[in-house]
Amino acid sequence: EAEAQAVTLRTVADAFFARPGMLKPATRDEMERHLRTSLATWQDRAIASITSAEVRKRYEEIAKTGSAGKGPAPFSAVAAFKVVRTLMN
């Protein structure tokens, strides 16, 4: 269990990005952008600690107000959580 608590979203992202031939540079850049913006507060959290309720709440926040609070961003919410699904599965 201590090992699981040490595996952060950032750790998983870095390992995923390091796999050769997995992503085009533009795809990696887009995933990285979502990690820096929409998912910034989760980067250093253990994946095991991120709850489904938190995922739903953050998705709704982004869809309604955007990651920077500048207005609705439903497409950004979908894209950000595709990143989450990719990294958590």
Side-chain angles (χ1 to χ4, degrees):
E1 185 161 315
E3 231 176 87
Q5 290 300 320
V7 179
T8 65
L9 187 60
R10 178 81 258 166
T11 303
V12 171
D14 290 343
F16 185 79
F17 296 152
R19 293 166 55 189
M22 284 295 297
L23 300 170
K24 293 181 181 177
T27 303
R28 180 199 164 115
D29 291 346
E30 184 69 8
M31 290 177 77
E32 197 57 70
R33 183 179 69 80
H34 284 294
L35 286 165
R36 282 191 321 271
T37 57
S38 304
L39 307 169
T41 59
W42 291 356
Q43 281 195 63
D44 296 322
R45 281 189 56 193
I47 285 186
S49 75
I50 300 170
T51 67
S52 57
E54 289 175 307
V55 170
R56 283 189 298 276
K57 181 180 177 196
R58 185 64 183 137
Y59 178 89
E60 289 297 322
E61 288 171 349
I62 297 167
K64 290 179 182 174
T65 63
S67 60
K70 295 181 180 178
F75 295 110
S76 287
V78 170
F81 284 88
K82 281 184 182 177
V83 172
V84 171
R85 272 193 311 276
T86 299
L87 296 176
M88 290 182 138
N89 286 336

